[in-house]
Amino acid sequence: TKHKKELTSLLRMILRDALMMKSGLENVGLLLPAEKQKTQAVASGYTFAALFDAQARLSAVEKELRFNAAFPQTLELFLLALKG
């Protein structure tokens, strides 16, 4: 798709905010304060370790996309890994 970088950046911000909430640091500063309720749902749905692992997996996705991996399939594999 045309907006690969924007979507992966948004996913990174969501994961970062979820980790901040999971750590009890949401008052320090969320990147997406308008989405606090949705991000809280993400934070409550995953363990700290799973969210941290998701960030690492997202880094791998971004790297694969830089080497011209197919975006839909790469994203699908990322989301399937999140489901566990």
Side-chain angles (χ1 to χ4, degrees):
T1 69
K2 186 177 169 183
H3 302 287
K4 295 182 253 190
K5 187 166 176 75
E6 290 87 352
L7 182 57
T8 55
S9 294
L10 181 60
L11 286 170
R12 181 160 305 283
M13 288 188 282
I14 291 168
L15 291 172
R16 184 256 186 206
D17 282 357
L19 277 168
M20 295 291 282
M21 288 179 169
K22 201 70 156 172
S23 301
L25 299 172
E26 66 264 16
N27 295 329
V28 174
L30 298 176
L31 297 175
L32 301 169
E35 301 298 328
K36 188 173 182 176
Q37 187 176 7
K38 291 177 186 174
T39 305
Q40 185 63 50
V42 172
S44 64
Y46 295 96
T47 64
F48 185 86
L51 291 169
F52 192 78
D53 182 57
Q55 280 197 325
R57 290 180 187 270
L58 187 57
S59 293
V61 165
E62 290 168 332
K63 182 178 179 181
E64 290 174 24
L65 293 175
R66 282 193 300 273
F67 290 104
N68 295 321
F71 181 67
Q73 290 82 1
T74 305
L75 185 63
E76 183 177 7
L77 291 173
F78 169 74
L79 295 173
L80 285 172
L82 283 182
K83 271 185 133 176

